[in-house]
């Protein structure tokens, strides 16, 4: 036979086998529990003497040639295989399965898992409530200590002083600051972040001379310690300018800063006198406003004095701390201030009760239970009230 004739017969053979399989599938789908009879199988099988299986490589297995079939044995094998198969015996087509109004039941959820999540939420809420309460408590400690400072005989004199370029603004939003870094022509074509980088480089150059000035002041007053702060990072300066100064980086004046510590109001007054008498030519600001009884504290309750000096065109900052206020939190004082800022905690406007506004009564009850559980696990010797051991 020619190649075309062989190909034609092959196609005819394939079509006949496919048609027979389709006929069997139709009968199986429409006739319940349809089982081919022996005559059907003989008839179907008789259309060809052998099957050709094509494997993945395209090679044909011509070893599967005519054999005598025992139909009883086939039935037994089919039943045995059917018992092992995961394919269902009857397949039902549900035409409404994908309709939009079909209601599909959600997977059953674990009741214990939901309770666990709720319990975690209540515990977290209680922890946050305690955290805010702790910030307010520490802020009140600063306020309490400031009340004690006002008993100093020299405090009325300090309270009467007028600072230099002290706007009196103690809020940290859109402060009307009266000093700023020197504007430069090249800043006109620079982004705010690039300006912050330039100012940070200036601060590095100014820091050694600022240290000399502070060492001289400290030496005259018998101070044992001065703290030199790191140069403020440009990214931190940019964030501060956006938060406080409406995005103007030139109003950030603490790229370069040093801290001095005074024992009392008398030492603070002496320090101001030294600065004005010896360094008046470089002084740009003395801010005393938040040490006055008529002014609010910084966020978090802290109060200090700030002196800004101009060193070769760059404004630096000297932070003067009263030891009685600084020692309440020491190095963690800035962290306390930062947390109060992030959570808008101020003694003048913040009400702890507002954190419970709008809560469901049942949730408030769960918070109380969480609080009771927390107290039970707290050792009695760790409880304090107004800095006094219980």
């Amino acid at each position: 036979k020619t190649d075309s004739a062989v190909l034609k017969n092959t196609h005819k053979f394939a079509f006949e086998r496919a048609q027979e399989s389709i006929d069997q599938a139709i009968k199986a789908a429409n006739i319940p529990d349809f089982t081919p009879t022996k005559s059907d199988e003989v008839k179907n099988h008789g259309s060809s003497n052998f099957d050709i299986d094509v494997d993945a490589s395209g090679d044909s297995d011509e070893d599967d040639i005519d054999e005598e079939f025992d139909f009883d044995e086939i039935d037994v094998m089919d039943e045995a295989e059917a018992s092992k198969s995961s394919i269902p015996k009857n397949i039902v087509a549900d035409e409404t399965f994908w309709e939009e109004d079909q209601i599909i039941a959600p997977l059953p959820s674990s009741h214990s898992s939901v309770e666990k999540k709720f319990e975690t939420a209540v515990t977290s809420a209680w922890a946050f409530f305690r955290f805010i309460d702790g910030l307010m408590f520490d802020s009140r400690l600063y306020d309490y200590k400031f009340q004690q400072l006002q008993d100093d005989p020299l405090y009325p004199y300090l309270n009467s002083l007028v600072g230099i370029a002290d706007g009196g603004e103690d809020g940290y939003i859109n402060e009307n600051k009266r000093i700023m870094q020197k504007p430069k022509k090249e800043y006109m074509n620079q982004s705010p972040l690039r300006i912050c980088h330039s100012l940070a480089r200036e601060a590095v150059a100014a820091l050694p001379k600022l240290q000399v000035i502070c060492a001289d002041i400290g030496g005259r007053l018998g101070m044992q310690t001065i703290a030199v702060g790191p140069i403020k990072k440009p990214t931190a300066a940019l964030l501060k300018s956006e938060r406080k100064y409406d995005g103007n980086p030139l109003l950030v004046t603490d790229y370069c800063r040093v801290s001095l510590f005074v024992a009392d109001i008398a030492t603070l007054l002496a320090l101001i006198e030294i600065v004005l008498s010896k360094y008046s030519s470089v002084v740009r600001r003395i801010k005393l406003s938040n040490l006055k009884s008529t002014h609010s504290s910084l966020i978090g309750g802290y109060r200090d004095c700030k002196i800004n000096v101009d060193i070769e065109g760059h404004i630096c900052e000297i932070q003067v701390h009263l030891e009685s206020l600084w020692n309440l939190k020491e190095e963690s004082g800035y962290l306390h201030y930062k947390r109060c800022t992030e959570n808008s905690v101020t003694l003048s406007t913040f009400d702890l009760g507002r954190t419970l506004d709008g809560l469901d009564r049942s949730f408030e009850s769960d918070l109380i239970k969480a609080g009771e559980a927390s107290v039970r696990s707290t050792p009695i010797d760790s409880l304090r009230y107004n800095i006094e051991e219980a």
Side-chain angles (χ1 to χ4, degrees), residues 93-162:
D94 184 359
E95 296 179 357
T96 65
F97 184 79
W98 296 110
E99 290 182 3
E100 292 183 0
D101 59 348
Q102 178 76 11
I103 299 176
I104 302 175
L107 294 174
S109 59
S110 172
H111 184 65
S112 60
S113 176
V114 173
E115 285 186 344
K116 184 65 176 177
K117 289 181 179 178
F118 181 77
E119 181 182 345
T120 302
V122 172
T123 304
S124 298
W126 170 252
F128 179 73
F129 183 82
R130 287 190 63 188
F131 170 70
I132 296 297
D133 183 61
L135 292 180
M136 292 195 68
F137 180 79
D138 289 340
S139 299
R140 290 192 183 97
L141 290 181
Y142 282 123
D143 196 52
Y144 173 73
K145 187 60 67 174
F146 180 63
Q147 295 295 329
Q148 290 183 324
L149 278 174
Q150 295 179 49
D151 295 334
D152 191 303
L154 291 175
Y155 180 77
Y157 177 65
L158 173 66
N159 199 41
S160 67
L161 292 179
V162 177

Side-chain angles (χ1 to χ4, degrees), residues 281-315:
S281 61
V282 296
V283 172
R284 296 293 177 265
R285 181 176 72 156
I286 297 180
K287 185 173 182 178
L288 295 167
S289 55
N290 63 39
L291 283 173
K292 295 187 175 184
S293 59
T294 55
H295 284 68
S296 301
S297 66
L298 300 175
I299 292 177
Y302 194 69
R303 298 172 185 264
D304 62 3
C305 169
K306 290 184 175 65
I307 301 174
N308 293 97
V309 295
D310 187 331
I311 298 180
E312 296 182 352
H314 183 83
I315 296 180

Side-chain angles (χ1 to χ4, degrees), residues 214-271:
C214 291
D216 177 56
I217 296 171
R220 291 171 183 270
L221 295 173
M223 294 181 183
Q224 301 297 317
T225 304
I226 65 172
V228 180
I231 301 298
K232 185 180 288 293
K233 294 181 180 179
T235 52
L238 181 64
L239 290 174
K240 183 175 182 178
S241 69
E242 292 175 348
R243 186 179 71 248
K244 293 183 58 177
Y245 307 125
D246 199 25
N248 187 351
L250 297 179
L251 290 174
V252 179
T253 55
D254 62 345
Y255 289 89
C256 179
R257 54 264 171 99
V258 173
S259 291
L260 300 176
F261 304 89
V262 295
D264 47 32
I265 292 177
T267 309
L268 173 60
L269 293 172
L271 185 148

Side-chain angles (χ1 to χ4, degrees), residues 22 24 34 41 89 164 194 232 237 280 300 387:
I22 292 172
Q24 268 197 324
F34 171 76
E41 294 188 15
K89 188 175 183 181
I164 298 175
R194 180 65 62 185
K232 185 180 288 293
S280 59
I387 328 177

Side-chain angles (χ1 to χ4, degrees), residues 52-79:
I52 298 178
D53 297 326
V54 180
D55 61 18
S57 63
D59 298 330
S60 58
D61 296 330
E62 298 186 4
D63 296 333
D64 302 331
I65 306 179
D66 259 344
E67 294 182 3
E68 292 292 328
F69 289 94
D70 186 342
F71 293 103
D72 293 331
E73 181 180 349
I74 292 175
D75 291 340
V76 172
M77 291 174 62
D78 288 344
E79 291 175 3

